[in-house]
Amino acid sequence: MERQSSELGLSLDETRELVDDWLVHLRGMGKSDGTLIAYRRGATQYLTFCAEHGHDEPIRRRVLSAWLAYLRDEKRMQGYTARSRLTAVRQFAKWLLDEGEIDFNPFTDMSQPAVDEKLVEPLTPEQIKAMLKACETTKGATPERVYVDARDMALVHVLAETGMRAGEVLALKVDDVRSREASPFLVVQRSKNRRGRTVPISAQCAERLNRYARARRRRGHADSHEFWLAARGGPLQYAGLYDALTKRADAAGIPGWHPHRMRHTAAHRWLAAGGSEGGLMSVAGWQSPQMLMRYTRAQAAARAAEEAKRLNLGEL
């Protein structure tokens, strides 16, 4: 049973004032920028809901339950997103308890929102080729167009082959791209799970990375430590990558494209080619087999059918 509000002790205004202190604490704990953004968003959205719906004491179980129902029924928020928002609020409440701002945390055992597992279909080989073709430079193109085409083609190839997260790709520094090695690879300095790793790449991928690097030098960006740059200089941001490659996908006639679909594509291609699950987990930076299943489930039956043909177990 939830305790009475007098024991919880924090008004809405008081709670709002503590959000920034909590974020300072998280920054001091070494949390990533992505985590800070996600946690700020979750806490802020919850407190905004409280203000708009007249809940003057936000650290109450029934209020949080009402917010989760609101996210599901009114905002039509997907389960994974709702879970992320709930995690932020629960972590905030935990910090409030640790700091003595409240004497009881009613959110400790709140159930996670249900998740409907969506099947994300990987791109077909024909779609990948069409996207790469959409990056080809036409005759008479401007130097800026030549540069952008070389960059986007390299991006498409890296994402489709390696399955790296878009954020990991964008974070690459010049020294992280070892495309001239006998066995070329990329270095992920820090991933979502805070662990670095190396990601092998093919000679074909290395060639496209080198072509982009030459175009980059011709544009006068040789001194920049950031590997991926916008057309007018400066680091390429996620919004820039999203916009640029969405245009390529549209030109290739691919509906429903988004950067994370490339991660599903790379995972499927690895297993379909006979790669091991352990190898894929290492390359993709996954620690949990559940993540592997999530990213490869859409084409599991098709891969099983192909494997059955190779095994030829019908010869008895």
Side-chain angles (χ1 to χ4, degrees), residues 127-137 153 208 248 252:
Q127 287 176 318
I128 297 173
K129 290 178 182 177
M131 228 177 141
L132 290 169
K133 186 172 180 59
C135 298
E136 291 180 355
T137 301
M153 182 172 286
R208 282 177 168 146
R248 307 295 185 176

Side-chain angles (χ1 to χ4, degrees), residues 48 159 183 285:
T48 298
L159 290 169
S183 298

